Amino acid sequence: MTPENNISRQRTIEQARATAAWNNIQEVKGQDFEAKYSSWAKKFPALVLNNGLGQALAFLRAKNKDEHQALYSHFSRWVTSQIYRTSDNELLERLIGSHSNSLDYRHATTETLAFAGWLKRFAEAELKSEEDQSQ
């Protein structure tokens, strides 16, 4: 692969991440839970880095709040589409399943963090924050 092709491929992946994240943020915009979603979108990368992807996803799945469920769904749909070539809400099951391996787990973590960067930036730009609501 030539350097130009590699740069073009990276740009395309980044554009796809940005588009998917933008669409996810637009789904949340105007919802009652948008400020809490925004807060968790900003916190999630640190949660992954401190606890690991599996633990962070399990945390979101364990919460029965709209903001956690939406965030889990957004990560799951994107990462399963990139790693497993299907888009579903079963990322955690796929990562801990018998067909997954440590390479898939590392790739999923890397992809989650890359996608999280876009979600975080768009949440900051487009969604109400909890600080806005307390004023």
Side-chain angles (χ1 to χ4, degrees), residues 1 3 15 23 27 42 46 48 81 85 92 95 118 130:
M1 181 179 284
Q15 289 168 331
N23 292 337
E27 284 177 18
K42 294 171 194 172
V48 171
S81 75
R85 301 296 179 224
L92 188 57
L95 289 175
W118 284 105
E130 291 187 297

Side-chain angles (χ1 to χ4, degrees), residues 23-90:
N23 292 337
N24 291 158
I25 294 300
Q26 297 311 307
E27 284 177 18
V28 172
K29 195 172 185 176
Q31 300 286 334
D32 293 341
F33 59 89
E34 82 173 89
K36 290 182 180 180
Y37 177 99
S38 179
S39 177
W40 279 105
K42 294 171 194 172
K43 293 176 191 175
F44 194 71
L47 194 63
V48 171
L49 291 172
N50 290 328
N51 300 296
L53 180 58
Q55 292 274 356
L57 291 171
F59 171 83
L60 292 178
R61 287 277 301 266
K63 299 293 182 183
N64 197 20
K65 305 256 181 176
D66 291 335
E67 61 271 15
H68 297 101
Q69 297 304 310
L71 194 59
Y72 177 86
S73 180
H74 294 159
F75 281 112
S76 187
R77 286 191 319 231
W78 175 257
V79 176
T80 59
S81 75
Q82 298 305 300
I83 309 286
Y84 301 104
R85 301 296 179 224
T86 184
S87 182
D88 61 32
N89 219 18
E90 299 179 8

Side-chain angles (χ1 to χ4, degrees), residues 96-114:
I96 62 175
S98 61
H99 298 299
S100 193
N101 58 46
S102 63
L103 183 60
D104 288 342
Y105 192 91
R106 287 193 308 269
H107 188 196
T109 300
T110 301
E111 191 57 44
T112 297
L113 292 171

